[in-house]
Amino acid sequence: MSGCCHDSHAVPRQTPVPSGGTYTCPMHPEVVRDRPGSCPKCGMALEPRAGEPSGDDREARDLSRRFWAAAGLAVPIVLLALSEMIPGRPLSGVLPARRMNTIEGFLATPAVLWAGWPFFEKAYESVIRRSLNMFTLIALGVGTAYGYSVAAVFAPSAFPAAFRGHDGAVPVYFEAAAVITALVLLGQALELRARRQTGDAIRALLDLAPKTARLVGPDGERDVPLESVKVKDRLRVRPGEKIPTDALVTEGSSSVDESMVTGESIPVEKEKGSKVIGGTVNGTGTLVVEAERVGGDTLLSRIVNLVGEAQRSRAPIQNLADAVSAWFVPAVILTAAATFAVWALFGPEPRLAYALVNAVAVLIIACPCALGLATPMSIMVGVGRGAAAGILIKNADALERFEKVDTLVFDKTGTLTEGRPALAGVFPARGTEEDGFLRLAGSLERASEHPLAQAVVKGAESRGLRLAEAADFRAVTGKGVRARVDGRNLVFGNQRWMEELGVPTADFAEKAAALRDDGRTVMFLAEDKKLLGILGVSDAIKASTPEAVDALHRSNLRLILATGDNEATAGAVARRLGIEEVRAGVLPEEKGAFVGELQSQGRRVAMAGDGVNDAPALARADVGIAMGTGADVAMESAGVTLVKGDLRGIAKARNLSRATMRNIRQNLFFAFVYNALGIPLAAGALYPFFGILLSPMIASAAMSASSVSVIANALRLRRVPL
């Protein structure tokens, strides 16, 4: 068993570590180490972080060896201890009681001191570091039973009469020490195995990435290691193969199964110009793709990192468990001492023997492990379940807060709509040529990355217009752009900005209103306070949006549309979707202020958006929800990312939040109730009424079962319907 590291050896999460891998504790994710070992706080085995090599699994093999050794030795010890209960007592005439006790001690010594040595090692370290944990209690219980029994065998005369039975012999508890050791080792092995199942989702993501790619070069095609692929490399993806990296289709067409990454079960058709995601599975066609993102920059790598960080984060509800755990072990030790004293003073003969057995039972049954595992196990499984459904949770805090959200604010472009606007109308002023007007607008917008700007540029290029270079280009957030084209000083933006600049818009008021009533965005082009005309741009509502809005209405959320578009356009979209509240003409900084205004009213607000202009509001909201198809800065600001950009994922994320928090509360309830009932039972609370005592061996089995039960309950989240 590897030794524990001292707290000072733990490194911050972002600290680079040697290439051998990074290991962390599931109960204390802030503990990070560069080699396998044990947590310095709770003594649990450290596990490899998500996305890193898992090592050689020495901990599991070591636990297995020690368990089988302890179990093999415990069986004959128990048979010897129970020999007097066998009809005819066949061993009583062959082996005197003292000789049988000696044989039991001989068998129990390797079971306790070798198989159970890690418990004593971790208990010693917990005392040195002043961080008492479950192993402190186990070592005290097992050590007391074993040490007392050794003394009873080799120095029986040293024990007072209160320790002797009716036959005058001093009883021994080698069988309890050995069986407890075996049962705790079994529980640790089962727990370790169950804990590793909580990472199934992220391991499945890691398995998506192929090991090689087929590089298409001037000298032919050849298979190369995936890590050697560079941006702009051309790769061939044959039918049934995994797509090596995020790329752009340059040749061929096919359907691609993106279900593991996006949660969408229906294959997506891909053709020239389509983007594909690394790790997804090609269908029946052959594709040639150009690599766009490689290595850690791919969507799959970012998902793995994000899920890994979220699984290691701490939910606020865990503070309750931490507060209890801080005094739990010392309180148990005091309870065991009080149990010993009460039985020693008021118990039946042999009083001290009863006192010892019940004190040991209290120490063994009161395991804080279930309490510590209650929250992190549910978080790990819940975050993994979300990732499998295309819902990326940034941290446990967001998962917990999402459950309490009662108000949802939507951005429009790219959130409710496709985010791929198309030019829907060109209306120049009288005396202005349509193509010349569109050429000026396209030239001006070519330097902008806004989706509306790209729609204008594509519309101009589709007419074969040659665009000019724009000089002194400047974008004004939430309003538009200005630049000089062909020596002409132009401004292009919304009506609000035109009015601020003193540009008259009355001539186009009626046409602009008609376009907005049809749900189109209207943009104005002006030169030196003279309006040159307007453009209409349409952005289709996503096919899944109406269904998503209906589902969110049914979940009793207050839905609000907040957009930079004017009131007429925003209102037209809202009416189509059944969204009753609209806040139109909102600048980016005003979106954040609007979220704050709702919060000041006592609302718990989620904000859904996809653009750079949504980032302040996403960060301000209780839960920010970013579309995975949008800007990276939006994903960085949000607590939840929908990989597919499908708003139905919001309802799924909320269901996941509720299921996870319900699971955590079940685990905490089970852990609290288990200890609240188990400790008095082990102390002998039922003995005065029913004559029932809890054997330390039964206490050991119950203690191990409690931890495994908490993990098994958390694993149910893998199958929760969303």
Side-chain angles (χ1 to χ4, degrees), residues 49 65 268 414 684:
R49 288 173 66 167
R65 283 196 302 268
V268 181

Side-chain angles (χ1 to χ4, degrees), residues 15-23 33-36 48-55:
T15 302
V17 293
S19 59
T22 314
Y23 296 80
R33 205 176 162 193
D34 61 1
R35 61 186 183 277
R49 288 173 66 167
E52 299 193 1
S54 59

Side-chain angles (χ1 to χ4, degrees), residues 62-77:
D62 185 63
L63 277 174
S64 179
R65 283 196 302 268
R66 292 178 187 273
F67 163 69
W68 286 113
L73 292 167
V75 170
I77 297 173

Side-chain angles (χ1 to χ4, degrees), residues 481-681:
V481 298
R482 67 192 319 160
R484 193 170 65 255
V485 178
D486 295 340
R488 304 170 68 174
N489 294 317
L490 303 173
V491 292
F492 188 53
N494 57 33
Q495 184 171 356
R496 178 177 176 180
W497 194 30
M498 295 297 133
E499 292 170 352
E500 289 178 8
L501 296 173
V503 177
T505 61
D507 290 347
F508 284 91
E510 186 177 338
K511 187 62 182 176
L515 290 169
R516 289 168 185 146
D517 288 342
D518 198 32
R520 299 180 183 182
T521 300
V522 181
M523 296 180 288
F524 296 73
L525 178 65
E527 177 186 11
D528 297 329
K529 297 190 178 181
K530 177 186 176 183
L531 189 63
L532 300 180
I534 65 174
L535 292 171
V537 175
S538 64
D539 188 6
I541 293 173
K542 293 177 181 176
S544 60
T545 297
E547 180 185 341
V549 171
D550 286 344
L552 294 168
H553 269 307
R554 289 195 300 271
S555 65
N556 297 319
L557 282 173
R558 176 185 176 187
L559 306 182
I560 304 173
L561 172 59
T563 175
D565 258 336
N566 59 73
E567 192 165 347
T569 303
V573 173
R575 283 192 298 274
R576 291 182 189 176
L577 296 173
I579 299 174
E580 297 174 355
E581 296 186 58
V582 178
R583 181 68 68 95
V586 183
L587 296 175
E589 60 271 19
E590 292 173 339
K591 283 186 182 179
F594 177 54
V595 169
E597 178 186 326
L598 291 168
Q599 291 171 325
S600 68
Q601 298 169 7
R603 313 294 297 191
R604 299 294 181 90
V605 184
M607 170 71 195
D610 79 320
V612 174
N613 61 329
D614 299 318
L618 292 172
R620 180 76 177 268
D622 293 286
V623 179
I625 306 167
M627 304 297 110
T629 51
D632 287 352
V633 67
M635 294 174 64
E636 291 297 326
S637 304
V640 177
T641 298
L642 307 180
V643 177
K644 187 70 175 175
D646 186 337
L647 284 181
R648 289 175 296 187
I650 297 179
K652 292 180 179 180
R654 196 154 183 260
N655 291 339
L656 176 65
S657 172
R658 288 175 167 177
T660 303
M661 297 310 300
R662 183 168 59 248
N663 192 271
I664 288 173
R665 293 188 186 100
Q666 290 168 352
N667 283 345
L668 289 173
F669 175 80
F670 178 81
F672 279 124
V673 169
Y674 165 80
N675 282 296
L677 296 178
I679 292 176
L681 188 62

Side-chain angles (χ1 to χ4, degrees), residues 294-314:
V294 297
D297 293 330
T298 64
L299 177 62
L300 181 59
S301 296
R302 291 161 65 199
I303 289 175
V304 168
N305 291 332
L306 186 62
V307 172
E309 288 298 324
Q311 288 183 333
R312 292 189 294 274
S313 62
R314 295 166 62 85

Side-chain angles (χ1 to χ4, degrees), residues 334-473:
L334 290 176
T335 302
T339 298
F340 184 90
V342 170
W343 278 92
L345 292 173
F346 306 108
E349 297 295 344
R351 292 179 180 177
L352 294 184
Y354 274 113
L356 178 71
V357 170
N358 288 294
V360 168
V362 169
L363 290 170
I364 294 299
I365 202 170
C367 173
C369 188
L371 190 62
L373 287 170
T375 297
M377 291 298 102
S378 296
I379 292 296
M380 286 185 70
V381 182
V383 168
R385 175 69 179 92
I391 303 164
L392 304 184
I393 310 295
K394 189 173 186 178
N395 51 50
D397 190 22
L399 192 63
E400 180 172 342
R401 282 186 276 116
F402 208 159
E403 181 195 33
K404 301 179 178 69
V405 164
D406 55 26
T407 303
L408 178 58
V409 180
F410 296 103
D411 172 49
K412 181 178 76 71
T413 304
T415 304
L416 298 177
T417 64
E418 293 286 355
R420 294 190 294 270
L423 189 62
V426 181
F427 307 96
R430 187 174 300 171
T432 302
E433 182 190 8
E434 184 173 308
D435 281 355
F437 167 72
L438 182 56
R439 176 180 174 275
L440 288 176
S443 300
L444 186 62
E445 290 282 57
R446 189 162 61 167
S448 173
E449 294 184 354
H450 195 282
L452 296 178
Q454 296 305 306
V456 175
V457 173
K458 288 180 180 178
E461 290 175 342
S462 68
R463 297 192 183 192
L465 301 178
R466 296 185 61 183
L467 303 183
E469 291 294 327
D472 300 327
F473 177 87

Side-chain angles (χ1 to χ4, degrees), residues 238-250:
R238 291 166 291 196
E241 290 184 336
K242 292 179 180 178
I243 294 171
T245 188
D246 293 0
L248 184 72
V249 177
T250 58

